[in-house]
Amino acid sequence: MSLSSHKVQLLSPAGNLTKLKIALAYGADAVYGGVSHFSLRTRAGKEFSFEDFAQGVEYAHSLGKKVFVTINGFPFNSQLSLLESHIEKMAKLNPDAFIVAAIGVVRLAKKIAPHIPIHLSTQANVLNVLDAQSYYEMGVKRIVAAREISLKDIKEIKKQLPDLEIEVFIHGSMCFAFSGRCLISALQSGRVPNRGSCANDCRFDYEYFVRNTQNDELIPFNGKELYVKNPDNGVMMRLEETEGVGTHIFNSKDLNLSAYIHEILESNVIDALKIEGRTKSHYYAGITARAYRAAIDDFYAGRKNSAFYENELNTLKNRGFTSGYLIHRPYEKNNTQNHLTAISDGNYQVNAEVLENGLYAVCKHTIAQGDSKEIVLPFGADVACGKSELGEIYEENGKKMMRFDRICLENGKELTSIHSGNTNAFKLPLPLPPFSFLRQKTS
């Protein structure tokens, strides 16, 4: 099918059943996730039981949306029989595709479940027509291109293989290595990145030491400006250490291509846009889906609202943003690394998450009597202003706000304020759409 006859697909991460539902409510066309250590996010896999995943597939299909199963780890010989049974078990759920990285697993999945389409994971590092052609001939329906590929190279792949679907990452954590093909965590922590248990050693706070050549003693180096230089080309890498904190020599900023969605879609060679983040928060799942859903729909409607996309994505905790390598080559820019901190930070705080019944919410940050919080709605949803004995919904500066005059828990107890440590649901002054959020701007 040519791209001119259908919209590009928006694919969101689903680390558990609730995130799956939130991503779909906020505008995703499809979600991806897994339930075992054969997925490259074992932490997310632990949150997703087989029963929950089966329910998620059924739920998505009831909305006319899709679910892709991640089987993108790199198995050892001792795991192959377990892998076979896992593929058989997941195939019975009738997902819309398997996301696979290892070439042998591609062949195995085609043998066991020939009716399930194969999407090739970004871990396979497809960067050129030659590799794309090889996988296509093996029966791969879609390739999730390497994050290091350029749009120019994707155009050439699409030109040579017009029936091969191409998916690209547009948002989320970036890796210091080629699409996650890294050994640092395995060497330092014994946790293998390409089997789903990366410890994110590239984010650690490293400290510098100088070796005393006389006695081999290591002495802390507390200099403020330290660089390494390549004498052949003059390229320098800053190794700046903050005293008491350390330095961040491998720490990549987060990918954010919201400013380039129109340029990407105008190329007419991309079939799906993918958001990273199965281990990120429920709020992340919703906001990323909503921002990129708006950008995609705006493109097809002939409009653009860059300020909205940017502002919404800035409310998320992040390590700073970069546009990565799809539009610009790595050597054309030097702003992809965060030297200052590996801690994610954003300009908004989530106060509450509305439950699926729309009547109650759970607290994520302090709410007190008299407080007003901004309402964040799923994509396309709206809510009317109104009052009740518990509070009010009103509009201020173009935003819907909720004020709390009373805070009443589901168990009937009334409080003057509620904090994140209180896991009891509290009643909303007026109903909100399921999975809405309440938030406030931070200083």
Side-chain angles (χ1 to χ4, degrees):
M1 182 182 290
S2 67
L3 286 174
S4 59
S5 62
H6 74 291
K7 287 186 178 180
V8 69
Q9 183 182 75
L10 178 62
L11 179 60
S12 285
N16 58 39
L17 181 58
T18 302
K19 290 180 188 177
L20 179 150
K21 291 181 177 180
I22 289 174
L24 296 178
Y26 279 75
D29 299 305
V31 293
Y32 65 98
V35 298
S36 81
H37 55 278
F38 295 115
S39 164
L40 275 186
R41 289 293 183 271
T42 52
R43 196 175 90 196
K46 291 176 182 177
E47 292 184 24
F48 231 145
S49 68
F50 178 80
E51 291 73 22
D52 280 352
F53 198 86
Q55 184 181 338
V57 174
E58 184 177 350
Y59 178 84
H61 287 173
S62 72
L63 299 177
K65 300 193 177 186
K66 300 179 182 296
V67 177
F68 305 146
V69 177
T70 51
I71 313 177
N72 56 342
F74 292 83
F76 293 129
N77 286 330
S78 59
Q79 298 176 301
L80 296 185
S81 59
L82 182 61
L83 174 63
E84 288 187 31
S85 62
H86 178 66
I87 293 174
E88 291 174 354
K89 188 175 183 180
M90 298 309 293
K92 291 178 181 178
L93 301 181
N94 291 315
D96 300 281
F98 288 152
I99 302 177
V100 178
I103 189 170
V105 182
V106 171
R107 292 189 181 278
L108 183 63
K110 293 295 291 183
K111 176 183 177 182
I112 295 174
H115 61 293
I116 305 293
I118 300 295
H119 293 181
L120 189 73
S121 170
T122 188
Q123 299 294 125
N125 304 135
V126 171
L127 290 159
N128 56 60
V129 173
L130 190 65
D131 288 344
Q133 175 79 46
S134 298
Y135 284 110
Y136 179 64
E137 291 173 354
M138 290 176 61
V140 168
K141 179 182 179 181
R142 175 185 296 183
I143 284 179
V144 186
R147 301 190 203 195
E148 299 74 25
I149 200 171
S150 69
L151 190 58
K152 179 181 178 181
D153 284 328
I154 291 178
K155 290 178 181 178
E156 186 60 29
I157 292 174
K158 199 69 173 181
K159 178 181 177 181
Q160 299 292 329
L161 302 164
D163 294 328
L164 176 65
E165 295 181 6
I166 299 179
E167 177 178 305
V168 295
F169 275 95
I170 53 169
H171 197 95
S173 296
M174 290 283 282
C175 184
F176 181 81
F178 254 78
S179 291
R181 301 298 289 271
C182 175
L183 198 61
I184 296 175
S185 176
L187 293 173
Q188 295 192 160
S189 308
R191 291 170 54 176
V192 185
N194 294 300
R195 291 180 62 207
S197 58
C198 180
N200 287 313
D201 294 62
C202 56
R203 313 288 188 194
F204 289 0
D205 301 328
Y206 289 93
E207 298 178 355
Y208 297 121
F209 288 82
V210 178
R211 184 180 297 278
N212 186 325
T213 57
Q214 295 181 349
N215 60 15
D216 264 0
E217 180 185 2
L218 293 177
I219 304 169
F221 178 86
N222 294 318
K224 295 298 181 183
E225 296 287 339
L226 182 64
Y227 293 81
V228 292
K229 179 181 179 181
N230 184 327
D232 294 330
N233 55 25
V235 171
M236 297 181 70
M237 179 184 292
R238 183 173 63 176
L239 303 176
E240 181 176 334
E241 179 178 348
T242 301
E243 189 171 356
V245 176
T247 188
H248 307 89
I249 56 175
F250 304 122
N251 184 39
S252 300
K253 292 181 180 179
D254 294 342
L255 180 65
N256 180 343
L257 279 168
S258 60
Y260 297 94
I261 294 301
H262 282 56
E263 182 175 344
I264 293 169
L265 298 188
E266 282 175 351
S267 71
N268 206 37
V269 296
I270 304 299
D271 295 270
L273 302 178
K274 187 172 191 175
I275 298 167
E276 183 275 341
R278 275 180 281 162
T279 60
K280 302 287 180 65
S281 70
H282 292 182
Y283 179 72
Y284 175 96
I287 293 300
T288 51
R290 190 173 76 153
Y292 285 102
R293 174 82 275 151
I296 292 169
D297 288 357
D298 284 350
F299 169 78
Y300 291 109
R303 57 179 182 259
K304 192 173 185 180
N305 189 358
S306 299
F308 172 78
Y309 323 141
E310 179 182 353
N311 291 338
E312 283 298 295
L313 295 172
N314 280 334
T315 72
L316 299 169
K317 292 187 181 300
N318 63 84
R319 302 180 183 93
F321 287 126
T322 174
S323 58
Y325 311 118
L326 189 68
I327 306 299
H328 303 96
R329 292 292 197 181
Y331 59 80
E332 294 176 334
K333 57 199 306 184
N334 60 1
N335 69 338
T336 60
Q337 188 176 354
N338 185 338
H339 293 276
L340 303 178
T341 177
I343 298 174
S344 295
D345 199 11
N347 58 17
Y348 271 77
Q349 174 66 54
V350 179
N351 298 91
E353 179 180 325
V354 177
L355 300 180
E356 193 167 0
N357 59 27
L359 302 175
Y360 291 85
V362 289
C363 183
K364 299 296 182 181
H365 190 68
T366 303
I367 301 175
Q369 280 183 338
D371 281 354
S372 291
K373 307 300 179 186
E374 180 186 349
I375 301 170
V376 181
L377 299 169
F379 188 80
D382 198 6
V383 64
C385 296
K387 291 183 179 181
S388 77
E389 62 176 10
L390 299 182
E392 179 183 11
I393 294 177
Y394 63 97
E395 189 165 336
E396 181 178 88
N397 298 325
K399 297 178 179 179
K400 292 291 177 65
M401 308 291 292
M402 176 170 278
R403 190 186 71 246
F404 290 85
D405 295 331
R406 296 172 59 194
I407 299 173
C408 296
L409 301 183
E410 191 173 19
N411 60 17
K413 186 176 181 180
E414 187 165 347
L415 306 174
T416 57
S417 64
I418 186 169
H419 308 274
S420 59
N422 193 330
T423 58
N424 294 291
F426 62 93
K427 188 171 177 59
L428 298 169
L430 292 163
L432 290 175
F435 309 120
S436 298
F437 294 95
L438 300 177
R439 70 185 181 189
Q440 68 183 45
K441 190 172 179 62
T442 57
S443 57

